[in-house]
Amino acid sequence: LACRADGDPLPSTRCARDGGPPRTRGSRAVSRADAGRYVCRATNKHGSAIRSVIVTVECERRGGGHGN
């Protein structure tokens, strides 16, 4: 998931799955195992802000080809 934040100075951001293994960056395939709570943290010299989102995966692609 992309995590964006504004601030002065511009904060660094990090988004990670809460309680689960991190995904490989750039991986676009999604499965039901990716469902769960994701936490985004934005931090600069003035402090941090944290937000979370619940991700639900309703179906997953099966097979290796397109149109499956």
Side-chain angles (χ1 to χ4, degrees), residues 10-43:
L10 191 65
S12 62
T13 59
R14 181 169 180 244
C15 186
R17 184 166 179 227
D18 190 25
R23 290 199 44 140
T24 304
R25 260 198 122 107
S27 177
R28 299 192 117 194
V30 175
S31 73
R32 287 185 177 102
D34 295 311
R37 181 174 180 248
Y38 287 77
V39 178
C40 180
R41 176 187 297 265
T43 305

Side-chain angles (χ1 to χ4, degrees), residues 1-67:
L1 295 174
C3 181
R4 288 181 253 166
D6 293 321
D8 186 17
L10 191 65
S12 62
T13 59
R14 181 169 180 244
C15 186
R17 184 166 179 227
D18 190 25
R23 290 199 44 140
T24 304
R25 260 198 122 107
S27 177
R28 299 192 117 194
V30 175
S31 73
R32 287 185 177 102
D34 295 311
R37 181 174 180 248
Y38 287 77
V39 178
C40 180
R41 176 187 297 265
T43 305
N44 69 12
K45 69 180 184 177
H46 300 294
S48 295
I50 299 172
R51 297 291 182 265
S52 65
V53 63
I54 302 295
V55 174
T56 302
V57 179
E58 294 184 3
C59 65
E60 61 185 271
R61 185 174 154 194
R62 298 187 188 270
H66 294 287

